[in-house]
Structure formats: structure tokens, C-alpha cells
Amino acid sequence: MKEKLKSIVLVLLVLSSLVESYYLMYRLPGSDSVIKSAAKYLKAEDMGPETNVESLIYPDKMIIHMGDNKHTVFYPNSTFYNLIFSRLEGRSFDSFQRRSLQDLNIAEIRTENPGIELTFGAGVPVSLLQRVMQIHPDSLFQAEQIDRIWIYNVNNETKAHALFFSTEGDVVYEAGKADLTVQDVQQHVDFGLTWTPYTLQNGLYYIPETEVEMVATTLRIDAYTTEQMQRSLFFDPSITRNIREKNGSEIYTDSKRSLQVRQEQKWMRYTDPAALPDGEIDMDKEVLAAVDFVNQHGGWDGDYRLSLAGGGTDQNEVVFQQYYGTYPILERPQFQYGTINLNLHQGTVSTYERSLIYMKSEETKKEMKMLPGGEELRAHLKGISGQSRVVDLYPAYLPTSNEEGLLLTPVWAVKLQTGGVMVLNK
């Protein structure tokens, strides 16, 4: 009997030892960061709200072609833009055929055929576009990045056409099956009949023939502290040391990662040189990892749009453009606010740049402003075109900080062929 009791006690002691060993190995503070994947970022504290990638993918503008060389433009979050895009999200596109751009008469389609043109700036990978639209690509189309979608009607034809333009330049994919009728397309086009008329300029961008009304506003703001960002970005903030630079910025480092903060501009840059080396780029995974990282390290202080996914000179770069209402906020060298920039390598963030400022919900001031249109706008643009070719034009907000908060001033933003963006002063 005693021997049996001893055996039972021994078994219990062994089991107890195994349980304690398990907790020591897997439940000590900080141990989760070791056993989890590098791409699974841990949230240090509550800061800004989180979002999902689907809410960040949408066109930067929607051009409505009404035939007879009549056009108008809808911008994100406007009534007709939201209505049309929400309907297109539920339509399916299938049986894609690869075509050469040379085979299409784009000028005729633009001027004569009623249709909807969605533009995506530097482009969006098809694998990400699938998250917001019912696209069924083959393996060839799946690997593309799309910067335009053009859905239009042709006279005396019973089905709508849907073209997806590759960022490669001369490659277009046409959907053999599109869940849209000619009547659907025409109904969407008719929303533009009473809107501001726009005219194509130099075959590249559109100019409104009347003034564009916008709201200048001042917003209450606050800023994340350096201590908050340290706790968010370092596994153990207590071991970081501070280095003050001559230009007024401060650097905090744990000997591996670094956090640079410019207090005057309320701007930060986080660097992790231990990021994985370059390999095959999968922009779908890179963008998802970027969204996850921002969710856990600062959050989203407003509305953002995926503006660049490996489409620039740096193929590992992901950029999110901030919007206020319908229009983007321009980042300027003298006031770095309006974008979140990340550089990733196989799902691991190597650099992370953003403003520490975030908006509060209260507006302290509002004032209506009119941006010039028509001949007055053309005269302003003529002075710029001598410096560099203008490739795009859009309304935007220029941010400045003052004692009352964040002032957002309406401006025309002019994108140049060189890649730079100029502000058009009235």
C-alpha cells in the first residue's frame, strides 16, 4: 500500500514539474515575442484606432465619361463616388484576355463612349484589388499591378466592356465576362450629367470649367509622446539610451533598433536594421504586414488610402496617404504630415515614418474657399508647364500648424512628370 502511495506521489511530482517547466518556457513576460513570427507584431498600448486593408484600397478619383467629349470627376467619399464604387464592388469580372494598348483607340473610347474610369495612382496589386472587387484572375493577370479600370459602353453593343490597365504601360486585360449591363453603366454615367464639367488637358489630366468649392478648416490636435512611441516600438524601453543630434532631433536606441524624433515637427522615424534581407517581393504580404504594424504601433488617426505599394523606385516601400473628407492632405518638406511610410523586407518592417500629430474630432473653424477653374486655372498651369510637364491635377489640403491646431488650406496640387508635386498658389 505504501509503495503504491509513493508511486502516486512521484507521478504527481513529475506532472507538477512538467507544468512548471511549461510556464517557465512559454509564459514568462516577453517570451511570446520569441515564439511568435516576426510579422506578428505585439501591441504595446492603446493609441490610435486600428483598421483593415480593405478600407485602405480605393481609387484616388473616378472620371465619368458621358460621350460627346463631356466629362466630370468624382473624388473619394463624395456621394456619387461612394454610390458607384459600392455597386462596382459587388460586380464580378472574369475570363481575362491580355491585349496590347496599341490595339485600343483610347482617345475614341474617352470622347465617344459613356463610361467610368477608376484611377489608382501608382497602382494596386491584383491580389489586393481582389479584396475589394469580385475579380477572378488567371495566374498571368494575378501577378500584375493595376493603375486604371475603365468600364464603358459601345454603341449598338449589348454588353459592357471592362479594361484593367497594367502599370507595365502597354498591357491591358479585358474581362470577357463582366457582371454589368449596358443599362448599369449608363445609370452610373448619368450621375455626372448635372455635375461640374471637366475638360481633358493635353491628353493627361482634367480641368474643371468652373470654380471648385472646398472647406478650409482648423482642427484640434494632440501628439503622441516620445515615451509612448518608445513603449510601442521597443521590446524593453528601459534599456534604450538617448542621443541628441545637432539638428535638434533626438535618437533613442537599444543598440539594435533606433527611434529618431524631431520635436519641432512632431515627426518620427523608426529603423530596424535587423530586418530580413532582400528576397522575392510579395507586395500582397508586404502591405498586409504594413497595415498590421501600423495597427499595433500608432494606429490610424483618420482616413487613409494605399497610395504606393512597391510602385516607386523602392520596390519594398509602402505608403498610405491621409485624407480629410474628400481630399488628400499634402506632405510638405517644412511640415511632414499627411502620409505614413514603411519599408518592408519579407514581411518585416525596416523603416517606419509618420507624424506624431493626430486629429481630434472637434473643428474649431470652418470657412468656404473657391479654387479657380477654367481659363484662370489654365493660366496658372501654363506658368508651371515651362518648368516640367504636368501629368495630373487634383484638389488637396495643405497642412500647417498654428496656435489653434491644424489648419487645412484648400489648394490645387500639380503632379509633375519628374514625380514631384507642386502647390498651385492662387
Side-chain angles (χ1 to χ4, degrees):
M1 184 68 181
K2 287 183 179 180
E3 292 301 322
K4 183 181 287 188
L5 186 59
K6 286 181 180 179
S7 298
I8 293 173
V9 171
L10 182 59
V11 169
L12 289 174
L13 288 172
V14 171
L15 289 173
S16 176
S17 176
L18 290 172
V19 170
E20 286 183 20
S21 297
Y22 174 84
Y23 276 96
L24 285 171
M25 290 176 63
Y26 297 101
R27 289 296 182 265
L28 279 175
S31 61
D32 283 353
S33 63
V34 177
I35 62 173
K36 289 192 175 185
S37 165
K40 300 296 183 183
Y41 303 108
L42 303 180
K43 191 164 187 175
E45 62 177 80
D46 290 329
M47 295 175 71
E50 298 184 11
T51 193
N52 55 49
V53 70
E54 288 79 6
S55 66
L56 301 167
I57 299 173
Y58 50 91
D60 59 359
K61 59 180 172 291
M62 184 181 292
I63 305 163
I64 306 299
H65 304 288
M66 294 169 280
D68 296 325
N69 204 21
K70 295 179 180 178
H71 318 272
T72 194
V73 179
F74 297 144
Y75 292 99
N77 298 316
S78 61
T79 302
F80 290 137
Y81 175 105
N82 289 342
L83 180 59
I84 294 172
F85 192 54
S86 65
R87 290 182 177 181
L88 294 179
E89 285 177 312
R91 303 296 186 172
S92 64
F93 301 89
D94 203 344
S95 302
F96 288 92
Q97 298 176 344
R98 184 183 173 103
R99 301 182 62 181
S100 170
L101 186 60
Q102 310 304 321
D103 297 335
L104 298 169
N105 190 336
I106 295 298
E108 181 180 323
I109 294 172
R110 177 186 286 122
T111 57
E112 301 301 328
N113 300 110
I116 308 145
E117 182 182 354
L118 312 178
T119 64
F120 291 87
V124 178
V126 170
S127 53
L128 289 175
L129 199 56
Q130 280 182 276
R131 291 175 170 268
V132 293
M133 299 183 72
Q134 307 301 311
I135 301 172
H136 307 284
D138 57 22
S139 58
L140 187 63
F141 185 36
Q142 180 80 39
E144 294 282 3
Q145 285 202 176
I146 300 300
D147 59 10
R148 269 193 295 171
I149 299 175
W150 204 323
I151 302 168
Y152 64 97
N153 292 337
V154 175
N155 289 336
N156 302 319
E157 291 193 13
T158 58
K159 74 168 191 172
H161 293 255
L163 302 176
F164 291 70
F165 292 75
S166 168
T167 54
E168 293 300 317
D170 61 346
V171 178
V172 179
Y173 291 83
E174 182 165 11
K177 296 179 182 178
D179 184 24
L180 280 164
T181 66
V182 170
Q183 290 74 25
D184 291 331
V185 175
Q186 189 61 53
Q187 185 182 53
H188 297 156
V189 169
D190 287 345
F191 290 138
L193 293 175
T194 58
W195 210 247
T196 304
Y198 278 69
T199 301
L200 181 67
Q201 191 77 13
N202 300 329
L204 294 169
Y205 57 95
Y206 293 83
I207 289 181
E209 291 304 323
T210 61
E211 293 180 317
V212 173
E213 187 177 67
M214 288 178 66
V215 178
T217 185
T218 300
L219 298 164
R220 298 179 71 89
I221 57 174
D222 205 338
Y224 299 129
T225 65
T226 301
E227 291 73 21
Q228 281 180 297
M229 296 312 302
Q230 280 184 273
R231 290 195 297 269
S232 173
L233 292 165
F234 293 102
F235 291 123
D236 186 359
S238 65
I239 65 171
T240 60
R241 56 192 177 89
N242 173 243
I243 304 170
R244 190 181 297 272
E245 292 193 323
K246 292 181 180 180
N247 62 8
S249 64
E250 294 186 339
I251 295 178
Y252 301 84
T253 179
D254 63 357
S255 298
K256 294 181 179 179
R257 305 165 189 84
S258 66
L259 171 65
Q260 181 183 7
V261 178
R262 292 181 184 169
Q263 290 293 351
E264 185 177 343
Q265 290 196 351
K266 298 295 181 185
W267 171 91
M268 57 142 279
R269 175 185 172 89
Y270 167 77
T271 305
D272 182 2
L276 296 176
D278 288 341
E280 186 175 346
I281 299 174
D282 186 336
M283 284 313 304
D284 188 348
K285 292 181 180 178
E286 304 288 44
V287 171
L288 291 175
V291 173
D292 189 33
F293 190 89
V294 177
N295 279 340
Q296 310 309 316
H297 303 285
W300 309 83
D301 59 312
D303 297 324
Y304 285 81
R305 182 182 64 83
L306 175 64
S307 174
L308 181 70
T313 54
D314 188 343
Q315 295 298 308
N316 296 91
E317 188 178 17
V318 176
V319 179
F320 300 101
Q321 171 70 60
Q322 186 171 7
Y323 276 68
Y324 180 72
T326 301
Y327 305 109
I329 300 173
L330 295 178
E331 183 180 63
R332 308 300 292 162
Q334 60 271 29
F335 185 57
Q336 291 180 292
Y337 180 89
T339 62
I340 296 177
N341 304 270
L342 301 97
N343 196 287
L344 298 96
H345 299 264
Q346 299 182 34
T348 300
V349 173
S350 59
T351 61
Y352 172 42
E353 297 182 72
R354 66 176 297 163
S355 173
L356 297 175
I357 294 173
Y358 62 88
M359 297 180 189
K360 291 186 173 181
S361 57
E362 307 98 301
E363 295 175 333
T364 60
K365 281 186 180 179
K366 272 187 175 183
E367 184 182 356
M368 299 307 299
K369 295 286 187 181
M370 304 300 293
L371 296 183
E375 292 306 317
E376 183 182 355
L377 179 54
R378 288 186 179 88
H380 285 297
L381 290 169
K382 189 175 181 180
I384 293 176
S385 59
Q387 305 171 38
S388 178
R389 189 183 189 194
V390 177
V391 297
D392 200 6
L393 173 77
Y394 54 93
Y397 283 110
L398 188 68
T400 52
S401 180
N402 58 30
E403 292 180 356
E404 297 180 81
L406 181 69
L407 173 61
L408 298 179
T409 304
V411 295
W412 280 115
V414 182
K415 185 176 181 180
L416 305 175
Q417 191 174 33
T418 56
V421 176
M422 290 185 62
V423 172
L424 191 62
N425 295 317
K426 187 173 178 180

